[in-house]
Amino acid sequence: MINVIWLGMIVIGFVFAAVNGRMDAFTAALFDGAKSGVTVSFGLISVLVFWLGLMRVAEDAGLLRKIAKLLGPVVAFLFPDVPKGHPAIGYILSNMSANLLGLGNAATPMGIKAMQELQTLNPDKETATPAMCTLLALNTASITLIPATLIAIRLNYGSANPAGIVGTTLAATAVATCAAILADRLCRRFALRHRPPKPPAAGPPQGADRAA
């Protein structure tokens, strides 16, 4: 779907440039955008490698395990329908820990693995479970203590204070996370109220008692 959206934007831009006679500006913007994308990508490599390496050191030192231990009760509250000790819990904890440190690239694989494990608990493979929706909401609006990727982008573009967004990012992501949790709780209650009743268990056939 994302590819279709980007293709549509490019086609629309091409059509408007052709109609207005600005194909030279369109071509220049196209190549400038490609050049900027490559430049930003190379600028992000060093910072992301540093933070991913730092995360590996923290993992080997046991810091991530301590963070996961602190987040354990929170995960149990947010995912009440996931059995304790299920493999999905470990991946959820790793995903949340990486997001806290602003390592979205490291959090994504853990989030995918968590979704795959949650799918094993899903009785209807075509419909997302409440736990899967909760994980998606938290992964999208996670509290971020250190926005490493944004700091890298600001540093790459010559910001005088690349880390100046830490406070505002923390506040914004905290509000977003609270809103995501509140919406998730409300949706869960709404789903429970409108869940169709279970069919009654089949009893003995009529006349069985009299036949006995």
Side-chain angles (χ1 to χ4, degrees):
M1 186 62 184
I2 297 296
N3 293 334
V4 174
I5 294 174
W6 280 108
L7 178 61
M9 294 173 64
I10 293 173
V11 171
I12 292 172
F14 176 82
V15 171
F16 272 86
V19 171
N20 295 321
R22 302 190 60 185
M23 288 299 299
D24 52 343
F26 175 81
T27 304
L30 190 65
F31 284 102
D32 287 343
K35 179 181 177 181
S36 298
V38 173
T39 303
V40 171
S41 297
F42 277 108
L44 289 174
I45 289 175
S46 59
V47 177
L48 289 178
V49 167
F50 169 75
W51 281 108
L52 289 173
L54 193 63
M55 184 178 179
R56 183 59 183 270
V57 172
E59 182 180 1
D60 293 340
L63 178 60
L64 292 185
R65 287 193 295 271
K66 291 182 179 180
I67 294 177
K69 187 176 181 180
L70 291 174
L71 294 175
V74 178
V75 172
F77 168 75
L78 294 175
F79 299 89
D81 43 355
V82 179
K84 186 177 180 180
H86 192 273
I89 297 295
Y91 289 118
I92 292 172
L93 288 170
S94 298
N95 175 264
M96 294 177 66
S97 300
N99 277 324
L100 279 173
L101 298 178
L103 301 174
N105 290 359
T108 299
M110 296 296 102
I112 294 174
K113 291 294 294 183
M115 282 293 187
Q116 291 174 345
E117 292 295 337
L118 291 175
Q119 182 70 350
T120 62
L121 301 173
N122 189 359
D124 183 3
K125 303 304 182 182
E126 300 298 325
T127 304
T129 63
M132 297 170 76
C133 296
T134 301
L135 176 60
L136 181 61
L138 290 177
N139 187 66
T140 305
S142 174
I143 294 179
T144 303
L145 301 179
I146 305 173
T149 303
L150 290 178
I151 291 175
I153 293 175
R154 288 167 59 86
L155 183 65
N156 189 62
Y157 278 98
S159 173
N161 185 16
I165 59 171
V166 171
T168 52
T169 301
L170 178 59
T173 54
V175 172
T177 301
C178 292
I181 294 174
L182 179 60
D184 177 71
R185 296 294 102 176
L186 292 176
C187 289
R188 279 178 179 260
R189 289 188 179 184
F190 180 83
L192 287 175
R193 289 180 181 179
H194 293 78
R195 178 181 297 175
K198 294 182 179 180
Q206 293 183 357
D209 294 339
R210 284 179 289 180

